[in-house]
Amino acid sequence: MSAAETLTAGRVLRGAVSAAAHLASIVVLLVAWEVFARSGAVTMFVLPPFSAVAERIWADAADGSLWINIGATLYRTFAGFLLACVIGIGLGVAMARTALARWFFDPIISVGFPMLKVVFLPVIILWLGVFDASKIMMVTLEAIFPVVTATVLGIQGVGHELIWSARNMGAKDRELLWQVLLPAAFPQIMTGIQVALPIALIVAVFTEMAMGGFGVGGNMMHASRFADS
């Protein structure tokens, strides 16, 4: 075996060992779950063993119900998330670049960010019903705040020397925004988007649990009502 082949084999082996080490804790947890559930300390109703849960997941996947529920949840999650990104970035740019927008929206964002937005759920149900529109609206309402805040902070943090240089080269407001401000603020905006995505998923499941219907959350509540642990 040549030196290059030996080096490649060593890298592959180290990668496999690293992957196994990362999975070890999950495997140990699943084995402990299985052993504890079958030990007689708890009943199957309270804690089914992992093997029974895996069989149920396989059965739900085979009859298609699993994919229907996951698809419904992901649709609501990403629809609300994309709306939050588009509206949030646009609103953040307006707040960072326009004094009137900043004057009007800054108090709303400051008060609304730490607020528990789920209190608006009864009003949204009253306005939009219990179907997809209300669930997407709740996801958007929850996920938009970190996107707006990150966009404002990102644009306000762009170095003045970049703006001055662009102005001296004849950049208009639109060129300054698209070629200087947004690219420079992109890492900060992505941070807000990364925060918004798990929030969107959590809120989608929660609203499904509250409103029912298809989806992971609705399926969880349906199983709970029928004691199908």
Side-chain angles (χ1 to χ4, degrees), residues 28 32 39-41 46 56 60 63 82 97 105 128 166 219:
V28 170
S39 66
V46 174
R56 178 59 179 274
D60 288 349
D63 65 23
L82 290 175
R97 301 291 295 164
F105 288 107
L128 301 176
N219 196 35

Side-chain angles (χ1 to χ4, degrees), residues 131-215:
F131 302 104
D132 284 347
S134 57
K135 296 168 184 175
I136 293 171
M137 178 62 70
M138 276 302 305
V139 172
T140 304
L141 182 62
E142 288 276 1
I144 196 173
F145 286 90
V147 179
V148 172
T149 304
T151 303
V152 172
L153 293 176
I155 292 179
Q156 289 180 342
V158 176
H160 293 293
E161 65 278 1
L162 293 176
I163 299 175
W164 294 336
S165 299
R167 288 295 192 191
N168 290 333
M169 296 175 66
K172 304 299 183 183
D173 287 341
R174 181 176 296 181
E175 295 170 335
L176 181 67
L177 175 63
W178 289 104
Q179 299 181 22
V180 177
L181 295 177
L182 285 178
F186 183 74
Q188 184 75 33
I189 296 173
M190 283 302 301
T191 300
I193 291 174
Q194 288 175 344
V195 173
L197 181 56
I199 292 175
L201 181 58
I202 292 169
V203 174
V205 174
F206 173 80
T207 53
E208 290 170 353
M209 293 175 69
M211 300 181 196
F214 288 107

Side-chain angles (χ1 to χ4, degrees), residues 69-81 132-133 136 204 208:
N69 289 310
I70 290 178
T73 299
L74 291 179
Y75 161 68
R76 294 159 186 156
T77 298
F78 284 106
F81 172 71
D132 284 347
I136 293 171
E208 290 170 353

